[in-house]
Amino acid sequence: MRDAKPNKEKSPKKPASAERPSGVRRPDAARIPGASVHTSLASEIGLRIVRGDYPPGTILPNEAKWSETFSVSRSAVREAIKMLMAKSLLASRPKIGSWVEPRERWNLLDRDVLAWYATSPDREVFLKTVQEFRHIIEPEATAFAAMRRTDEQMAEISQACREMGEAASLQERTRADTRFHLAILRASGNDLLVPLGVLIESAFDHLFTFTTRAVDDLNHVQKLHEAIEKNIRLQRPDAARAAVRKLLANTDHVIKSR
């Protein structure tokens, strides 16, 4: 049994962004390349929920209205709603419909939810949350990587670090940056960190894009990464841990200065 039922008489007021005519699809509501209709629809509704168009407690339009708004079948709407329920963004009951769950119930380790959250109006708050997560996880994970990494894992870390320095665009650099940190998580030898790293990959991409745009001295940031790579390669766990903390402190400064 759930802690609370939605109030049909007093749903939270929707912000102005949700007041567009319900029968008109947003011009920027593009299909996800290669995605099924219901997956694309789930992405569109999920993004609207996370960015605040439909606050927690709001009862969403019914199947017929969604079907009309997006010109899709009711079966596609049902599948999209099921996907969002699986991510704990929505709940549903007969004769009531679907409503938005409290934010604390959302599955923020879901890849899609992370991606929607990272592009919402609260993205900077969320990215600071990602940074806090890094402070909790990365220093010790990096120390373990220095002790446990294999030659193959070290090669992956070194290659990602090198590709960061050689990147010709922001996109190439942020992707290499993400690969660098995920490779370290894998090299830590802790099985729980591997799936966690994959789940937060989207959040890392958004964080690194956000911070790299604001960095004036990319050469300094590159040297911080190279120090991490060197200490893992030389299997110096204490020095590797300290090197990560220096990088995180630099990123903290960039975020605060925005």
Side-chain angles (χ1 to χ4, degrees):
M1 181 178 293
R2 300 190 175 273
D3 298 330
K5 297 180 181 179
N7 189 327
K8 295 181 68 177
E9 296 179 356
K10 295 183 179 181
S11 295
K13 186 178 180 180
K14 300 175 186 177
S17 58
E19 296 298 327
R20 65 176 62 88
S22 60
V24 179
R25 187 177 183 181
R26 277 186 26 240
D28 59 334
R31 282 284 304 277
I32 303 172
S36 63
V37 173
H38 70 268
T39 299
S40 296
L41 181 57
S43 181
E44 175 63 21
I45 298 174
L47 178 59
R48 293 186 181 192
I49 291 171
V50 172
R51 76 184 181 193
D53 286 14
Y54 302 107
T58 301
I59 296 178
L60 296 184
N62 59 27
E63 285 183 11
K65 183 61 67 176
W66 282 129
S67 178
E68 174 189 351
T69 300
F70 292 96
S71 299
V72 297
S73 67
R74 291 195 181 190
S75 62
V77 174
R78 284 193 292 272
E79 290 303 313
I81 297 300
K82 287 180 182 178
M83 287 183 65
L84 295 173
M85 289 175 65
K87 300 175 188 297
S88 299
L89 266 66
L90 296 179
S92 179
R93 285 186 185 175
K95 298 182 180 180
I96 295 178
S98 301
W99 67 88
V100 180
E101 286 278 62
R103 187 180 297 265
E104 60 268 20
R105 296 187 186 178
W106 298 354
N107 181 8
L108 292 180
L109 292 182
D110 181 273
R111 183 188 295 270
D112 293 332
V113 179
L114 279 170
W116 302 332
Y117 215 148
T119 56
S120 71
D122 292 334
R123 66 188 298 267
E124 292 187 27
V125 173
F126 177 65
L127 294 177
K128 288 179 181 178
T129 301
V130 174
Q131 184 68 0
E132 288 179 359
F133 171 86
R134 297 181 67 199
H135 276 282
I136 296 169
I137 298 296
E138 288 196 60
E140 295 308 315
T142 304
F144 279 123
M147 292 186 284
R148 299 172 175 174
R149 57 86 178 159
T150 64
D151 290 343
E152 183 179 42
Q153 289 169 334
M154 189 66 241
E156 184 180 10
I157 294 169
S158 298
Q159 180 178 349
C161 187
R162 184 171 58 254
E163 289 177 355
M164 281 184 63
E166 297 172 350
S169 67
L170 172 64
Q171 184 178 52
E172 288 180 7
R173 183 176 179 83
T174 54
R175 286 180 177 174
D177 200 347
T178 300
R179 289 197 302 273
F180 176 79
H181 291 279
L182 295 182
I184 291 174
L185 291 182
R186 287 191 290 271
S188 72
N190 187 300
D191 290 342
L192 292 179
L193 290 180
V194 176
L196 189 59
V198 172
L199 284 171
I200 65 173
E201 182 176 356
S202 176
F204 271 21
D205 279 341
H206 286 283
L207 174 65
F208 298 151
T209 298
F210 177 80
T211 55
T212 301
R213 288 184 191 278
V215 171
D216 294 324
D217 189 358
L218 288 178
N219 184 56
H220 172 64
V221 175
Q222 180 64 25
K223 289 185 181 300
L224 292 174
H225 283 80
E226 289 173 357
I228 297 171
E229 186 274 343
K230 177 181 178 180
N231 285 300
I232 295 175
R233 176 162 38 84
L234 296 178
Q235 297 187 298
R236 300 171 178 169
D238 292 338
R241 184 189 294 112
V244 170
R245 286 177 175 155
K246 286 184 180 180
L247 175 64
L248 292 174
N250 184 76
T251 305
D252 289 341
H253 175 72
V254 172
I255 292 175
K256 289 177 182 178
S257 66
R258 286 300 295 260

